[in-house]
Amino acid sequence: MTRDSRYDVLFEPVKIGPVTARNRFYQVPHCTGLGWLRPRMVAALRGMKAEGGWGVVCTEYCSIHPASDDLPHPYASLWDQGDIRAHSLMTEQVHEHGSLAGAELWVGGSRSTNLFSNEVAMDVANMPNAIGIPYQARAMDKSDIRELRRWHRNAALRARDAGFDIVYVYATHHYLLAHFLSAQTNSRSDEYGGSLENRVRLVRELIEETRDAVGDRCAVAVRFAADDSIGEDGQPVVGERRDMLEMLAELPDLWDINIQDYSREMGTSRFVNEASLEAYMCWVKSVTSKPVVTVGRFTSPDTMVSQVKRGIVDFIGAARPSIADPFLPNKIEQGRIDEIRECIGCNICYTGDSTGTPIRCTQNPTISEEWRRGWHPEKIAARGSDSSVLVIGGGPAGLEATRALGRRGYHVMLAEAEHSLGGRINRESELPGLGEWARVRNYRVHEIRNMPNVDVYFDNRMDTEHVLAVEANHIVIATGASWLADGRGLYNQTPLDELGPPQQVFTPDDIMAGRLPGGPTLIYDDDHYYLGNVIAELLRRKNIPVTLVTPETMVSAWSGKTGEQGRVQRRMLELGVDIVTSHALKAFDGQAAEIECTYSGNRRRIEAAAVLSVTLRAPNDSLYHELQQAIDSGGEYRPDSVTRIGDCLTPTIIAGAVFSGHRYARELDTEVDPDNRMKYDRIFYDDV
Ligand code: ADP
Ligand code: SF4
């Protein structure tokens, strides 16, 4: 297939100073949870983007010096020869596919932890540590600024030596350079503070010095915010930013533009739509002749073309769409748009940075596994035998197993109890704000539909007898999990004795099946992710009074890691949800619930007509156990294997279920060393 000529503009080469990108697809700097700790994993991950057609592939934030250290968040670094060697792995793989590699040089200032390096953090002024650790940042004096410029220059030289084609001056995201630019944070009285020209001075010097150091071979990019402060959501406050950009307009070779509100720039699909930065971006290209890139969770090629043709951007910047589908550009180029695995905007990928662990993706189970497990997002080994596989359950785990087994060429029979495929995706994507999550189902159903070796049996609730009658070689149980209604969870380690009457006690499964409470409802959230608060939103929109009780100190604590906790809590407050934190449900008698303070143990009663427990799920694994029993008790037919996957094995997030299904399909008929299931990446040292 060939590409639609409407998309030709996306494949035009674009000159960036001394280098040229082969097309307009630009993977902007994004975290991987790998950083300097896992050089081979990160190199393979970035190389895969280049193979998939991204014309530019950048690092994550890359520290120039130990004074800028962010562990436990795994940043990249360019401190020494070992780092040069590590990054060379990445640049070689990116160059192999004709793409450009970019390094985002980073100076954290008061946002760096320095807990690893034990260096003193410095910033434009004496200020608190911005992420809340009890170490202040000290004000830089002039000699510190000279030192910083030297560090930055040397890191730029190391970036060049590592083979990078684009070197960034990173002047946004509330890091040190952003603090120099801002009138709010820059209180200096020397030539680096006060007037606009003075506040811009350090950024100007770094651009000039980077160009001087490496500009003959590398382009200089500047990452810069298009707005001055966080105003009303979606309404830019441009303030001085236009004047600043005009002052620097022609100095770098490329402008990488973002905004002050990270929860919008990186917003989940529940709160933020595709291309949502356009209102912030619309003036930028009118003040510079240099190419401009921004992000917007772009997955639609029509939106991309429209952005370029209307002069909003020159490059289609992407982090998440390139994670969900590293082959997105190639698929557009090859006219395979319906095969794009679209990002769902859930931000599970972002949790890797917060937790200090390798990036995961709900849509792309191969991310981070390129090197250590040898998984390619588009290629998979041919089947290892003529075996047939019966998959029971068409939720995300069963669908992904079926899709990947089908791609390997196995004869797969997928039996689903319901009239449609999707499992929990069907139910959850109907909840407020989660519509884009249906893409998890849609991508897989579309792929399966085109596979002649896959048969799908709808309305087929399988029992042991049915399963055995199929006589498949391998049986995969992907029957999901069910929410418990007994209040047991992290806080209450045993079921609550006094919780009733049953018709007034609900679980998320009840709500998603359309069984709603008839009056004021207490939602007890000991799950701490999205379901508790999304259901609160659903009930409030039906005018049902809601009290949200959680043992945590904030609503939906885990969604801090997906970058949406602030928006979630604000949404709850706007909807009039009563929030009670640091309390656990202890009893309910149909008229009132008894809750307990997690610190003092003090109890109080809250009137409620219903209680909804969002605490714990139990695997739907009775079929698995019955099958095992039937097989053990003899009979002619014995399958080669019976395996549980997804929530049936252990209830988890959707990304976990997809991964589980994918892993099963990859490993069938292969040798996996049970003691060493994956390669273990380690860093390089300066002296090796
Ligand atoms: P997961 O997240 O692990 O994929 P889900 O709960 O999303 O789990 O999906 C489980 C799917 O299995 C649902 O679509 C459900 O209808 C289906 N299912 C459950 N039990 C059976 C069964 N006995 N036979 C066929 N399908 C089943
Ligand atoms: Fe998109 Fe979610 Fe994957 Fe991140 S984890 S790239 S938001 S689908």
Side-chain angles (χ1 to χ4, degrees):
M1 281 189 279
T2 51
R3 73 168 180 251
D4 188 322
S5 58
R6 273 184 303 165
Y7 306 135
D8 285 353
V9 68
L10 301 175
F11 295 90
E12 291 170 348
V14 181
K15 197 162 160 9
I16 315 173
V19 296
T20 301
R22 64 177 159 127
N23 59 31
R24 295 183 189 271
F25 292 94
Y26 193 116
Q27 182 243 276
V28 295
H30 75 73
C31 299
T32 59
L34 301 168
W36 60 266
L37 295 162
R38 316 279 175 219
R40 296 162 195 82
M41 287 172 76
V42 83
L45 182 154
R46 304 287 186 201
M48 198 61 80
K49 309 277 191 90
E51 185 182 336
W54 296 88
V56 179
V57 180
C58 296
T59 62
E60 48 228 289
Y61 60 150
C62 184
S63 168
I64 63 167
H65 185 273
S68 198
D69 148 47
D70 212 23
L71 277 191
H73 309 292
Y75 54 99
S77 57
L78 265 167
W79 295 354
D80 61 14
Q81 281 297 323
D83 278 337
I84 293 177
R85 192 170 158 208
H87 283 290
S88 303
L89 297 182
M90 167 193 164
T91 57
E92 278 163 24
Q93 295 199 36
V94 170
H95 291 159
E96 218 172 275
H97 300 285
S99 301
L100 301 177
E104 184 189 42
L105 302 190
W106 165 69
V107 197
S110 60
R111 284 191 82 77
S112 43
T113 61
N114 289 4
L115 293 172
F116 168 68
S117 67
N118 228 345
E119 293 291 315
V120 174
M122 297 184 288
D123 212 308
V124 64
N126 171 29
M127 56 172 70
N129 182 280
I131 54 171
I133 60 169
Y135 291 79
Q136 288 188 207
R138 73 171 171 83
M140 296 173 84
D141 61 24
K142 293 258 226 33
S143 68
D144 296 322
I145 293 177
R146 277 194 297 278
E147 277 284 273
L148 171 80
R149 288 165 55 190
R150 192 170 57 78
W151 295 343
H152 200 278
R153 182 186 175 89
N154 287 342
L157 289 168
R158 286 192 285 271
R160 182 200 60 193
D161 293 348
F164 285 103
D165 311 283
I166 301 171
V167 178
Y168 269 75
V169 174
Y170 186 11
T172 179
H173 286 154
H174 313 284
Y175 292 122
L176 179 111
L177 298 182
H179 287 163
F180 268 84
L181 292 175
S182 162
Q184 274 96 51
T185 44
N186 187 337
S187 53
R188 301 179 74 93
S189 53
D190 61 6
E191 65 265 40
Y192 288 95
S195 68
L196 193 59
E197 199 175 344
N198 282 356
R199 282 182 278 126
V200 165
R201 186 178 308 279
L202 181 57
V203 172
R204 178 195 292 277
E205 285 172 346
L206 294 180
I207 299 172
E208 287 169 348
E209 287 162 6
T210 306
R211 181 188 284 292
D212 181 56
V214 301
D216 55 331
R217 238 191 56 202
C218 306
V220 178
V222 176
R223 223 168 184 199
F224 185 84
D227 58 341
D228 223 17
S229 56
I230 299 177
E232 203 183 319
D233 203 8
Q235 308 294 319
V237 181
V238 177
E240 296 180 322
R241 306 308 288 194
R242 190 180 176 118
D243 295 337
M244 281 182 194
L245 208 141
E246 276 172 358
M247 291 169 81
L248 302 171
E250 300 302 314
L251 273 187
D253 300 306
L254 175 128
W255 286 99
D256 178 340
I257 304 293
N258 46 39
I259 64 169
Q260 301 286 351
D261 182 357
Y262 200 59
S263 79
R264 181 171 190 88
E265 178 184 320
M266 177 67 190
T268 55
S269 56
R270 181 171 173 196
F271 298 103
V272 178
N273 293 329
E274 184 183 26
S276 79
L277 302 196
E278 187 169 324
Y280 296 77
M281 289 294 303
C282 49
W283 56 271
V284 173
K285 268 187 64 62
S286 68
V287 300
T288 177
S289 68
K290 304 293 176 172
V292 171
V293 59
T294 193
V295 291
R297 210 156 44 74
F298 299 111
T299 57
S300 152
D302 293 307
T303 309
M304 297 174 195
V305 168
S306 155
Q307 291 266 314
V308 174
K309 290 211 160 150
R310 288 183 297 116
I312 311 292
V313 291
D314 300 285
F315 283 102
I316 301 303
R320 289 171 291 173
S322 76
I323 295 164
D325 196 343
F327 279 65
L328 183 149
N330 282 3
K331 288 178 182 175
I332 298 175
E333 182 157 36
Q334 293 159 7
R336 298 190 289 132
I337 285 164
D338 54 352
E339 291 176 36
I340 294 174
R341 202 167 40 239
E342 287 183 283
C343 167
I344 70 166
C346 62
N347 281 8
I348 286 299
C349 49
Y350 186 51
T351 64
D353 187 54
S354 323
T355 55
T357 52
I359 186 169
R360 292 168 166 221
C361 170
T362 304
Q363 280 284 58
N364 177 10
T366 67
I367 200 89
S368 293
E369 306 296 349
E370 300 86 351
W371 179 83
R372 68 177 183 181
R373 282 190 163 93
W375 290 0
H376 187 288
E378 299 298 312
K379 296 181 195 156
I380 191 162
R383 64 188 170 164
S385 70
D386 290 337
S387 298
S388 59
V389 188
L390 171 64
V391 178
I392 301 152
L399 277 177
E400 176 61 16
T402 302
R403 185 198 71 81
L405 288 166
R407 284 285 295 272
R408 290 191 64 188
Y410 285 98
H411 174 215
V412 189
M413 293 160 279
L414 170 59
E416 165 54 51
E418 302 283 328
H419 197 57
S420 57
L421 295 173
R424 64 186 286 189
I425 298 293
N426 293 350
R427 300 185 292 275
E428 293 183 20
S429 62
E430 293 292 314
L431 294 170
L434 304 188
E436 281 193 24
W437 292 25
R439 292 172 172 182
V440 174
R441 173 197 64 209
N442 297 348
Y443 162 73
R444 290 172 175 82
V445 169
H446 176 79
E447 288 244 313
I448 289 168
R449 205 176 278 144
N450 296 324
M451 293 177 178
N453 51 324
V454 173
D455 297 313
V456 181
Y457 300 93
F458 295 98
D459 303 309
N460 253 281
R461 181 167 292 282
M462 303 291 278
D463 58 19
T464 303
E465 200 184 324
H466 282 115
V467 174
L468 294 176
V470 175
E471 297 198 352
N473 299 104
H474 298 281
I475 298 169
V476 183
I477 318 269
T479 45
S482 303
W483 286 95
L484 294 172
D486 59 11
R488 185 162 77 92
L490 195 56
Y491 189 85
N492 294 320
Q493 297 196 354
T494 52
L496 297 178
D497 296 329
E498 301 163 53
L499 195 58
Q503 66 275 17
Q504 285 171 255
V505 177
F506 293 77
T507 69
D509 291 327
D510 293 319
I511 305 297
M512 290 188 280
R515 188 171 90 84
L516 297 185
T521 302
L522 183 144
I523 298 180
Y524 176 51
D525 185 3
D526 198 12
D527 173 60
H528 314 296
Y529 193 17
Y530 57 93
L531 263 184
N533 63 74
V534 165
I535 291 175
E537 178 168 349
L538 181 140
L539 298 184
R540 282 303 298 129
R541 293 196 187 283
K542 294 184 183 301
N543 276 328
I544 298 174
V546 173
T547 304
L548 186 56
V549 176
T550 175
E552 274 290 353
T553 52
M554 63 177 87
V555 168
S556 184
W558 206 76
S559 62
K561 304 202 186 318
T562 54
E564 58 187 332
Q565 196 283 330
R567 283 182 182 259
V568 167
Q569 188 130 356
R570 199 178 320 143
R571 174 73 54 90
M572 293 300 99
L573 294 170
E574 282 163 2
L575 287 168
V577 173
D578 280 334
I579 296 170
V580 182
T581 57
S582 308
H583 279 75
L585 178 68
K586 292 314 270 185
F588 177 60
D589 60 11
Q591 264 122 50
E594 195 168 273
I595 61 170
E596 176 178 279
C597 171
T598 57
Y599 294 104
S600 65
N602 291 342
R603 293 198 177 189
R604 64 182 158 110
R605 282 170 69 80
I606 295 182
E607 282 186 18
V611 157
L612 174 83
S613 174
V614 190
T615 53
L616 192 68
R617 285 182 292 161
N620 299 329
D621 55 5
S622 54
L623 179 61
Y624 174 80
H625 293 296
E626 283 159 26
L627 262 173
Q628 294 285 11
Q629 250 181 4
I631 293 164
D632 287 348
S633 58
E636 265 176 43
Y637 158 71
R638 283 187 76 82
D640 295 341
S641 69
V642 181
T643 311
R644 286 170 291 178
I645 61 169
D647 292 328
C648 173
L649 177 65
T650 181
T652 177
I653 56 175
I654 296 167
V658 170
F659 182 88
S660 168
H662 191 84
R663 178 180 183 165
Y664 173 84
R666 285 267 175 187
E667 294 183 352
L668 184 63
D669 291 324
T670 62
E671 293 284 329
V672 180
D673 179 353
D675 299 327
N676 201 2
R677 295 187 143 261
M678 65 193 102
K679 291 193 286 184
Y680 174 39
D681 200 2
R682 295 168 180 82
I683 57 170
F684 294 104
Y685 299 96
D686 204 358
D687 55 355
V688 290

